[in-house]
Amino acid sequence: MPSRSTHEWLEAAYAKAVERTKERQKRFESSSGAEVDATYGPEALSDWNYHEKLGFPGEYPFTRGVQPTMYRGRLWTMRQYAGFGDAEESNRRYKFLLDQGQTGLSVAFDLPTQIGYDSDDIHAEGEVGKVGVAITSLDDMETLTDGLPLDKVTTSMTINATGSILLAMYVAAAKKQGADLTKVGGTIQHDVLKEYIARGTYIFPPRPSLRLITDVFAWCKDNLPDWNTISISGYHMREAGCTAAQELAFTFADAIEYVDAAIAVGLTIDDIAPRLSFFWACHSNFLEEVAKFRASRRMWAKIVKERYGSDNPRSQSLRFHTQTGGATLTAQQPINNAIRTAYQAMSAVLGGTQSLHTNSFDEALALPTESSVELALRTQQIIGYETGVADVIDPLAGSYFIEELTDRVEKEAEAYLQRIEDMGGALTCIEQGFQQREIQESAFRLQRMAETKERIVVGVNQFQTEALEVPPILRVSPEISQRQVDRVKALKGRRDQAAVDRALADIKVAAAGTDNMVPLFIAAVEAYATIGEICNVLRDEWGEYQEVLTI
Amino acid sequence: MATEQRTLRVLIAKPGLDGHDRGAKVVARALRDAGMEVIYTGIRQTPEMIAEAALQEDVDVVGLSILSGAHLEIFPRVISELKKRSVEDVTLFCGGIIPEADIPAVKEMGFSAVFGPGTDTNDIIAFLRENATERA
């Protein structure tokens, strides 16, 4: 056989074959619209250096994974995001999930808690306990964590604008349990920049928000060494419509903003980087997602080494949580979502995630029921224990296409990141609505593609059925919300009001100065000051963020 | 039919506290591309703010998007604020995560249509062209 390149084969033999059998699409493309060839060959790896591009697992640039043993030592943490109603109800759900073999907790808070309103505030009406658990004071946090050993179980809390206050409550609850704070582990999301871009639960303007974040970095370094101080999230921007490469670029731009803010207040890269964690989405383009996870590790390792000059492997290694794509779930033929979720979970595992949340099939309809959550958890257990994919580290490495795609996602993301840098960085871009506009464009393009059937969504624009299956859904009963409101009112009546007032006055003084706020938050929540009271002091002092409207 | 009338003015609003604005923005953009005048409020709007915007902008249509599950509590408050301002002849529609079982209650409140996940924006455009008329 004369030796031919893949390109030559595509031009001749393949082109001829296509004349006989037409391709089923005019163009095949990645999530960002880049064209995908019919096949990839050894040329994809021609000037490719294994040690430079991949390295061994646990070694720079960490493309293959952050630990040398990966899932052969321990599987990823199976962490289902849960929480609804009041603290008592959610505490029951957590105990159920731990009994089912879940290995870490992940707390969903209701919107008033996320935006700094007490359950009995007028702004909270209709929202108490709806999308997560209502936590107004330490009293609720104690109920939430009752019977859960906080020095053993790790807890991830999806909380941003009020992250430092919820962290204070968690620490106060752990102290009450008598836990050794050096053994208390977990994560707060605390990534406010992406709230301005996509998720929307901001309170304060960017500068004071960044200060709360660096206060948490500094306080945890000395007092809560095992805590992941931030979970820098691409997830919500992806859910809002951006592409895989944009997800990486926007997230790393935010990360750079946080690291720069920390360095500006005197911390070093190695003080903070080992405790940074990341949060990616996993959507349905299976191989592109695997490539994205691998590219993300390599990109971050390079940023930490080249931009910040750190040679500490702990600082360079990007640890991440993954959640399957909520926006890929359909209300039509909801059971199909279980299959989508399983494939997405598989690509997260092939991409080397440290922890994983699998969505439940009924989440395009309402909050998931106990049985749908159980199925989602079983999906992870089947991948981990039955499929064998966890037995070999980075098993797709060396595939022509996977390596080509990993390089391509990285290149696209780097170009985007450069654009953001050239415009002045993440924060300046947010203030100008850049990321918001880019995400909207991409979301609109995806919508149009579904409407013209360039993009097939099974059960929605193709293979529809008339019969509407309506599985049972979870509802938070109004009595539970009312019970929470009553509990908050009762607490406000029985606590030592003078102690609360003193603690709030201290917060007001510190907010106008530069002292670390975290110890003051702990003192305030220990006096049973509420989240709304603390946030109102800060609102008075700092003002509130105004959304940049980009329509 | 609304073909000979002035351009429909549509307010797209996000009541409640959730920040999921992907759907609201996609709909706003699609309606604008279809030639309607669209005002988008942004997220976290109180019922008072929405009703005030509907009044000030003199809209023909109000579309509400909510994904937090608070629709049964918040929608009636929006409607009562609209009434307080005598904005009663607007066409109301909504979208987001509205469980099937709640649709009759939502329609009872005065919403002419509920557009959930997976909706083709052409269906919303067609619906408004068919049903919404310019206010007197």
Side-chain angles (χ1 to χ4, degrees):
Chain A
M1 276 295 277
S3 85
R4 285 174 296 171
S5 71
T6 307
H7 181 73
E8 285 165 336
W9 180 82
L10 285 170
E11 295 283 293
Y14 184 73
K16 213 164 148 193
V18 168
E19 280 171 24
R20 289 192 306 272
T21 315
K22 270 176 74 80
E23 290 189 331
R24 67 187 154 78
Q25 285 172 221
K26 264 201 284 223
R27 188 183 146 91
F28 294 84
E29 56 185 44
S30 68
S31 72
S32 55
E35 187 154 16
V36 175
D37 283 344
T39 192
Y40 291 82
E43 299 81 8
L45 306 183
S46 58
D47 52 359
W48 187 86
N49 179 315
Y50 174 80
H51 296 283
E52 206 177 283
K53 291 278 192 177
L54 303 191
F56 288 106
E59 293 176 18
Y60 188 86
F62 301 96
T63 314
R64 308 203 63 184
V66 290
Q67 300 113 2
T69 53
M70 286 304 289
Y71 306 139
R72 283 170 74 101
R74 193 175 66 83
L75 292 176
W76 62 93
T77 303
M78 299 179 188
R79 198 188 285 283
Q80 295 296 97
Y81 184 47
F84 60 96
D86 63 359
E88 219 176 300
E89 199 78 8
S90 295
N91 177 266
R92 250 197 302 277
R93 175 74 70 103
Y94 299 146
K95 287 177 175 160
F96 165 81
L97 286 167
L98 291 172
D99 285 346
Q100 298 305 308
Q102 174 163 311
T103 47
L105 295 177
S106 176
V107 182
F109 295 96
D110 72 355
L111 288 161
T113 305
Q114 295 188 48
I115 303 172
Y117 297 118
D118 291 349
S119 296
D120 61 346
D121 191 294
I122 173 73
H123 291 94
E125 206 184 321
E127 308 270 14
V128 175
K130 279 280 162 66
V131 302
V133 58
I135 301 291
T136 289
S137 74
L138 175 59
D139 187 45
D140 298 328
M141 183 61 88
E142 289 170 72
T143 308
L144 186 75
T145 55
D146 181 55
L148 306 170
L150 300 187
D151 51 357
K152 293 194 178 66
V153 62
T154 62
T155 305
S156 168
M157 295 193 268
T158 300
I159 194 76
N160 292 280
T162 54
S164 49
I165 302 167
L166 268 296
L167 175 67
M169 289 187 196
Y170 193 82
V171 166
K175 279 165 70 182
K176 281 200 152 189
Q177 282 189 1
D180 172 359
L181 290 189
T182 64
K183 292 201 174 73
V184 171
T187 308
I188 45 172
Q189 196 163 77
H190 218 207
D191 169 9
V192 178
L193 292 176
K194 67 91 175 56
E195 298 293 328
Y196 303 129
I197 300 173
R199 192 169 171 274
T201 70
Y202 44 74
I203 306 175
F204 314 114
R207 297 294 160 196
S209 297
L210 282 171
R211 177 205 171 171
L212 287 176
I213 291 164
T214 54
D215 280 356
V216 166
F217 287 165
W219 189 83
C220 288
K221 176 174 82 77
D222 298 328
N223 299 282
L224 205 61
D226 271 354
W227 196 264
N228 298 310
T229 50
I230 194 166
S231 170
I232 309 169
S233 308
Y235 183 83
H236 315 87
M237 298 188 276
R238 188 71 184 281
E239 285 293 292
C242 80
T243 69
Q246 286 173 330
E247 181 186 357
L248 298 191
F250 295 161
T251 306
F252 288 139
D254 290 349
I256 287 168
E257 205 71 76
Y258 296 130
V259 172
D260 288 350
I263 289 172
V265 297
L267 295 162
T268 69
I269 180 74
D270 293 326
D271 283 339
I272 52 162
R275 300 314 316 169
L276 303 178
S277 61
F278 288 81
F279 175 18
W280 303 129
C282 195
H283 281 201
S284 292
N285 192 322
F286 190 88
L287 297 172
E288 187 185 32
E289 293 297 286
V290 175
K292 178 189 77 181
F293 297 126
R294 300 174 81 242
S296 76
R297 278 189 296 266
R298 189 159 71 205
M299 270 183 87
W300 183 243
K302 277 200 230 164
I303 290 170
V304 171
K305 188 186 173 79
E306 291 167 12
R307 184 185 184 110
Y308 294 108
S310 168
D311 283 318
N312 179 353
R314 283 287 296 156
S315 297
Q316 293 168 342
S317 52
L318 177 146
R319 296 168 300 126
F320 67 97
H321 172 69
T322 307
Q323 180 168 339
T324 56
T328 70
L329 304 181
T330 64
Q332 298 76 8
Q333 304 177 17
I335 303 289
N336 295 351
N337 295 324
I339 313 301
R340 292 188 176 98
T341 298
Y343 285 122
Q344 293 166 3
M346 177 73 102
S347 62
V349 169
L350 291 171
T353 194
Q354 275 56 65
S355 61
L356 179 61
H357 167 102
T358 32
N359 290 326
S360 301
F361 69 84
D362 48 0
E363 289 187 75
L365 305 169
L367 284 179
T369 62
E370 202 155 278
S371 69
S372 69
V373 172
E374 189 184 331
L375 176 65
L377 175 61
R378 299 289 178 241
T379 306
Q380 295 196 37
Q381 291 164 339
I382 290 167
I383 294 172
Y385 296 100
E386 296 184 12
T387 66
V389 297
D391 300 349
V392 176
I393 301 165
D394 191 26
L396 298 188
S399 145
Y400 304 131
F401 183 50
I402 282 288
E403 297 303 349
E404 161 82 20
L405 204 48
T406 303
D407 288 356
R408 188 197 286 190
V409 172
E410 181 185 30
K411 224 176 279 165
E412 263 178 56
E414 279 174 348
Y416 243 108
L417 184 56
Q418 191 57 50
R419 253 177 98 186
I420 294 171
E421 300 267 289
D422 292 345
M423 287 187 283
L427 186 47
T428 307
C429 286
I430 289 168
E431 286 166 349
Q432 293 168 2
F434 172 73
Q435 294 96 322
Q436 297 92 313
R437 248 190 327 271
E438 290 286 305
I439 290 169
Q440 271 162 239
E441 283 300 320
S442 169
F444 196 69
R445 175 176 157 266
L446 284 169
Q447 173 74 19
R448 276 283 181 260
M449 286 171 74
E451 291 175 357
T452 54
K453 297 203 184 182
E454 278 168 85
R455 187 168 71 89
I456 299 300
V457 186
V458 173
V460 176
N461 63 5
Q462 189 93 279
F463 317 114
Q464 299 102 315
T465 39
E466 279 305 314
L468 200 64
E469 313 148 54
V470 184
I473 60 166
L474 179 106
R475 275 183 194 275
V476 179
S477 85
E479 294 81 59
I480 291 180
S481 306
Q482 192 51 51
R483 188 166 81 188
Q484 168 65 11
V485 171
D486 294 344
R487 195 161 30 213
V488 168
K489 287 189 171 144
L491 171 83
K492 286 178 179 172
R494 73 166 182 270
R495 63 186 182 178
D496 175 355
Q497 189 60 43
V500 171
D501 293 343
R502 274 195 305 278
L504 293 176
D506 290 345
I507 287 173
K508 190 173 173 60
V509 172
T514 56
D515 283 352
N516 195 310
M517 307 286 297
V518 177
L520 299 167
F521 290 157
I522 295 174
V525 303
E526 283 177 337
Y528 293 94
T530 64
I531 195 162
E533 291 165 335
I534 295 171
C535 286
N536 283 339
V537 170
L538 299 177
R539 282 185 183 103
D540 283 348
E541 211 53 49
W542 294 339
E544 291 187 71
Y545 178 75
Q546 296 304 319
E547 182 179 2
V548 181
L549 284 177
T550 50
I551 284 280
Chain B
M1 290 296 288
T3 42
E4 296 304 313
Q5 298 171 338
R6 75 167 157 88
T7 313
L8 280 179
R9 285 177 66 78
V10 183
L11 181 74
I12 299 293
K14 279 216 38 88
L17 300 180
D18 81 271
H20 300 102
D21 56 6
R22 178 176 180 165
K25 286 177 166 178
V26 163
V27 169
R29 166 95 180 263
L31 298 184
R32 180 172 297 173
D33 285 0
M36 300 179 195
E37 283 175 27
V38 181
I39 299 106
Y40 171 61
T41 61
I43 61 171
R44 278 156 65 177
Q45 302 291 300
T46 62
E48 293 79 4
M49 288 157 85
I50 293 168
E52 200 53 36
L55 176 70
Q56 297 302 330
E57 298 286 351
D58 189 28
V59 294
D60 312 304
V61 178
V62 175
L64 302 181
S65 166
I66 189 165
L67 289 86
S68 71
H71 48 279
L72 292 180
E73 289 85 353
I74 291 178
F75 284 179
R77 287 174 50 203
V78 175
I79 287 171
S80 108
E81 291 299 325
L82 286 170
K83 280 196 183 134
K84 267 191 212 164
R85 288 164 182 78
S86 306
V87 184
E88 292 180 68
D89 46 354
V90 286
T91 302
L92 293 168
F93 75 101
C94 63
I97 304 283
I98 312 284
E100 196 64 28
D102 293 349
I103 291 177
V106 166
K107 291 205 165 159
E108 185 68 25
M109 291 174 202
F111 289 84
S112 339
V114 180
F115 295 104
T119 297
D120 189 319
T121 55
N122 293 307
D123 294 343
I124 304 177
I125 294 162
F127 172 83
L128 293 181
R129 289 210 172 120
E130 194 68 34
N131 294 280
T133 47
E134 152 192 8
R135 293 169 63 219

